[in-house]
């Protein structure tokens, strides 16, 4: 049987990959069983930028991100605009995109999906020359996520309690900031918010569906912003997420658009970029690139869970 060449970028430090002690040789053997001849890049000592370039310029028609959401987003950015397919082996901690694409989190089952080589096209978000596949979050949330980094890898109760108290203290002193939003309709909308997120397509509501999407090809950005987020708001939102009605919260506004430019007083802001905390310069211009990425994944299913109504702004 003739095997298809694939290039695998393995992030051995990703959550599940580290827990499984996954090696390049083991991964190559499992891929060969499914008709894929693998070039494995598992050299964690090399700079990521060079590894991404090698993946994008390889002769392989399929490039595989074996890691977490950060690895997947980086590889998607590297191959955007090419005819390569993106394969996903969810070896991270959250694996948000894999869940949205119905790619199994079990490694053997995920390898079976990859072996089908079936292509599904999805939208990608675009902000100032970079791809995002989930959402970019601005405001207090990235600061909370940065605090989480101090306990990453620790499972003791003391660390978890300390992080919970940090969240409460940070929420207690959170202040609103002004953001000017140009949604391409000729008017600038100014809002005072404590947190906002720009997502590639809509998040659903429903019990057990927390920040999950079924439609990844709607061709829309969704802007979620909270005008107020104190300790009481935090617990109310968490309760709404558990109950499946968080998008109906009185402090939450949802806008639907294809592009938005955001300007703040700060020249740069901390953001959570597909789960990773980074700093982006302002103004930040977001847009949606419809069906711009081919991913090896199961066929899309018809959405059966409604989302809350969003204010639609046509650019």
């Amino acid at each position: 049987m003739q095997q298809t060449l694939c290039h695998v970028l393995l992030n051995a430090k990703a959550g599940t990959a580290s827990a499984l002690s996954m090696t390049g040789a083991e991964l190559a053997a499992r891929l060969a069983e499914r008709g894929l001849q693998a070039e494995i890049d598992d050299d964690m000592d090399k700079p990521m930028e060079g590894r991404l370039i090698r993946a994008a310029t390889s002769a392989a028609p399929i490039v595989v991100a074996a890691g977490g959401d950060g690895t997947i987003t980086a590889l998607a950015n590297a191959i955007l605009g090419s005819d390569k397919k993106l394969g996903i082996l969810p070896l991270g901690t959250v694996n948000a995109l894999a869940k949205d694409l119905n790619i199994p989190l079990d490694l053997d089952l995920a390898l079976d999906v990859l072996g089908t080589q079936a292509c599904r096209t999805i939208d990608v978000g675009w902000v100032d020359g970079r791809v995002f596949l989930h959402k970019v979050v601005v405001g207090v949330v990235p600061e909370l996520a940065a605090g989480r980094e101090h306990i990453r890898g620790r499972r003791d109760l003391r660390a978890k309690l300390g992080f919970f108290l940090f969240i409460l203290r940070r929420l207690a002193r959170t202040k609103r900031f002004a953001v000017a939003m140009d949604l391409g309709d000729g008017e600038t909308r100014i809002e005072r918010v404590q947190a906002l997120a720009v997502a590639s397509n809509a998040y659903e509501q429903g019990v057990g569906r927390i920040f999950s999407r079924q439609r990844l090809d709607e061709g829309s950005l969704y802007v979620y912003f909270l005008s107020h987020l104190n300790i009481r708001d935090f617990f109310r939102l968490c309760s709404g997420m558990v109950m499946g009605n968080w998008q109906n919260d009185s402090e939450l506004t949802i806008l639907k658009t294809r592009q938005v430019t955001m300007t703040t007083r700060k020249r740069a802001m901390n953001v959570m970029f597909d789960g990773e905390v980074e700093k982006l310069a302002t103004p930040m211009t977001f847009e949606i690139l419809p069906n711009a990425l081919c991913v090896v994944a199961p066929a899309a299913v018809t959405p059966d869970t409604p989302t809350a109504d969003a204010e639609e702004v046509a650019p």
Side-chain angles (χ1 to χ4, degrees):
M1 179 178 66
Q2 185 175 4
Q3 294 188 322
T4 300
L5 180 65
C6 68
H7 183 100
V8 180
L9 194 156
L10 172 61
N11 180 1
K13 293 182 180 179
T16 302
S18 177
L20 294 175
S21 300
M22 181 58 58
T23 67
E26 180 183 356
L27 200 53
R30 294 196 189 188
L31 286 164
E33 294 171 357
R34 293 162 174 86
L36 293 170
Q37 177 188 348
E39 300 174 340
I40 305 289
D41 177 358
D42 59 355
D43 191 343
M44 298 297 294
D45 294 329
K46 293 181 180 177
M48 178 58 79
E49 183 178 358
R51 298 178 70 192
L52 292 170
I53 292 173
R54 283 190 291 276
T57 57
S58 72
I62 302 173
V63 292
V64 180
D69 290 313
T71 303
I72 295 167
T73 297
L75 192 52
N77 192 80
I79 68 171
L80 190 71
S82 73
D83 58 357
K84 293 185 182 297
K85 297 179 182 179
L86 175 67
I88 296 174
L89 292 177
L91 295 176
T93 302
V94 178
N95 302 306
L97 184 62
K99 294 173 184 176
D100 289 342
L101 289 166
N102 295 315
I103 295 174
L105 301 187
D106 177 85
L107 180 57
D108 282 323
L109 296 178
L111 285 164
D112 289 342
V113 170
L114 190 59
T116 68
Q117 304 180 39
C119 178
R120 174 180 170 185
T121 57
I122 65 171
D123 305 335
V124 302
W126 186 256
V127 54
D128 295 338
R130 292 181 57 190
V131 162
F132 64 95
L133 300 177
H134 316 280
K135 61 184 178 295
V136 177
V137 186
V138 185
V140 66
V141 176
E143 297 178 23
L144 299 180
R148 179 196 61 190
E149 294 300 310
H150 294 292
I151 67 164
R152 186 183 289 272
R154 293 180 57 185
R155 300 182 180 179
D156 57 287
L157 182 60
R158 183 177 179 181
K160 293 179 180 179
L161 178 60
F163 179 56
F164 179 71
L165 294 175
F166 164 77
I167 290 176
L168 298 183
R169 289 194 301 268
R170 186 65 190 85
L171 290 174
R173 63 173 186 266
T174 297
K175 296 181 179 180
R176 294 193 296 175
F177 62 95
V179 56
M181 292 186 283
D182 178 357
L183 294 129
D185 57 356
E187 296 183 6
T188 298
R189 178 170 181 157
I190 299 177
E191 300 284 350
R192 292 187 60 81
V193 304
Q194 286 193 316
L196 65 84
V198 182
S200 171
N201 294 293
Y203 288 102
E204 302 167 349
Q205 294 204 97
V207 177
R209 297 179 183 271
I210 300 176
F211 297 125
S212 65
R213 302 166 295 169
Q214 282 189 329
R215 283 292 303 274
L216 299 182
D217 59 353
E218 183 186 344
S220 297
L221 293 175
Y222 281 76
V223 183
Y224 301 82
F225 60 88
L226 286 163
S227 56
H228 201 256
L229 184 61
N230 60 21
I231 295 174
R232 181 180 296 179
D233 298 323
F234 174 77
F235 283 108
R236 187 183 66 249
L237 279 166
C238 289
S239 175
M241 289 177 183
V242 173
M243 298 300 294
N245 60 4
W246 64 276
Q247 294 186 24
N248 300 323
D249 193 275
S250 60
E251 298 293 340
L252 178 67
T253 300
I254 307 174
L255 304 177
K256 177 182 177 181
T257 186
R258 289 180 61 87
Q259 65 181 54
V260 58
T261 298
M262 297 186 179
T263 305
T264 69
R265 292 180 180 272
K266 295 183 178 181
R267 294 183 176 180
M269 297 193 72
N270 286 330
V271 305
M272 194 162 66
F273 194 101
D274 277 358
E276 303 294 330
V277 178
E278 302 185 21
K279 190 178 288 290
L280 289 184
T282 62
M284 296 175 280
T285 299
F286 299 83
E287 59 182 304
I288 193 77
L289 305 181
N291 295 308
L293 186 66
C294 175
V295 184
V296 179
V301 296
T302 302
D304 58 4
T305 304
T307 59
D309 290 337
E311 180 182 338
E312 187 164 357
V313 182

